[in-house]
Amino acid sequence: MLSPAAPALSAETLRADFPILGRTVYGRPLVYLDNAATTQKPQVVIDRVRRYYEHENANVHRGVHFLSGAATEAYEEARRAAQAFVGAAHAHEIVFTRGTTEAVNLVAYSFGEAFVGAGDEILVTELEHHANIVPWQMLATRTGATVRAIPMDDAGDLVLDGLDRLLTERTRIVAVTHTSNALGTVAPVEVIIEAAHARGIPVLVDAAQGAVHGPLDVRALGCDFLCFSGHKTYGPTGIGVLYGREDWLERMPPFLGGGDMIDTVSLTRGTTFAGLPAKFEAGTPHVAGAVGLHAALEYLGALGMDAVAAAEADVLGYAVARLAAVDGLRLVGTPRRRAGAVSFLLDGVHPYDAGTVLD
Ligand code: PMP
């Protein structure tokens, strides 16, 4: 049973918001548990994207005509919504990307170009998604830097005992997940940020999972960069958010070159770049994705991220307790703080077979 201190959110009401949950699969009502990979879309998001294409579609920032103005306004409103969602001080600290992966690559490339050289160190953790490992390894290969990692114990918690030794005078950036997609571990990012900042080292937080399970506040956290994906927060695919503190973004060179990110272009005298955030948004952006993400963030805002966190904690506690009671089932990871994801193994059963049968 769910606890009597029940969340204000009702599963029935929430289900009704998601049209796909009205369909059947194998002749039964759809049960969808793959939200760590991608979330389903509430009707308000689907309607908003459709309304954009039916009424507002045009290219942004470049036309003087009515629709270009409408599309630009919708796009910039989405940026202000993302700013409010993460608690950023300025809208120009929000850069739209294709998702978390592109956001991490942007920082690894651009921050790396300005601040990382041979012999420098980049600190990640053993909890990371590949998206927060590989771009740093690529940076290390380009520059001659080294990637080091904060270890994880059997419970799936980060081991911070050696943090003082892992943060050296050569560490240029720390990149850490907020919440693990595999084990659900909520990492002690506050502690890591404090230790890194004590040495003047900036921290990137991968909030691909963290953004959807509870309130986020980049200024309370004190992180220098934070990123998440629209499609994991009930918004469209192909849109994501990079928050970067103004003073870092100002000092970083552009990532991609092209239209919209330039101030003046000359084939003889070279090019000067636009200010923030345009400097990091080359080419026609995913306007429909941004307005769809805006609708998703409004949807979450109306539910209330504290209410979302409370409801999920309830369901998660229920899931963990019931799974732990299954004969031959071993939970992988028992982290101190957990959100969302649960991993388990069944004795003698290959995970592919278990997944296929459960599907
Ligand atoms: N980081 C984490 C923690 C994730 O869970 C994911 C997606 N599974 C990513 C990064 C990458 O996100 P995307 O594929 O949307 O770029």
Side-chain angles (χ1 to χ4, degrees), residues 68-102:
S68 182
T72 302
E73 186 48 31
Y75 184 64
E76 293 305 325
E77 268 176 25
R79 192 186 311 280
R80 290 190 285 276
Q83 174 200 353
F85 186 73
V86 300
H90 309 288
H92 62 249
E93 294 179 318
I94 301 297
V95 175
F96 283 123
T97 65
R98 281 193 298 137
T100 305
T101 301
E102 186 177 283

Side-chain angles (χ1 to χ4, degrees), residues 36-37 125-129 150-159 177-187 209-210 213 316 320 323 330-345:
T125 86
E126 286 183 357
L127 260 187
E128 300 312 310
H129 187 277
I150 300 173
M152 171 178 75
D153 63 19
D154 288 344
D157 281 311
L158 292 179
V159 181
T177 194
H178 181 289
T179 298
S180 157
N181 58 303
L183 305 180
T185 309
V186 178
Q209 300 296 332
H213 297 301
L316 184 65
V320 169
L323 284 169
R330 184 164 67 82
L331 287 167
V332 181
T334 49
R336 279 191 290 270
R337 287 196 298 173
R338 157 182 244 155
V342 181
S343 286
F344 60 84
L345 289 168

Side-chain angles (χ1 to χ4, degrees), residues 246-269:
E246 181 184 50
D247 52 340
W248 286 115
L249 292 181
E250 290 285 10
R251 286 181 286 159
M252 287 158 49
F255 174 44
L256 301 174
D260 247 25
M261 50 74 75
I262 40 86
D263 182 18
T264 59
V265 179
S266 160
L267 285 174
T268 48
R269 292 185 308 279

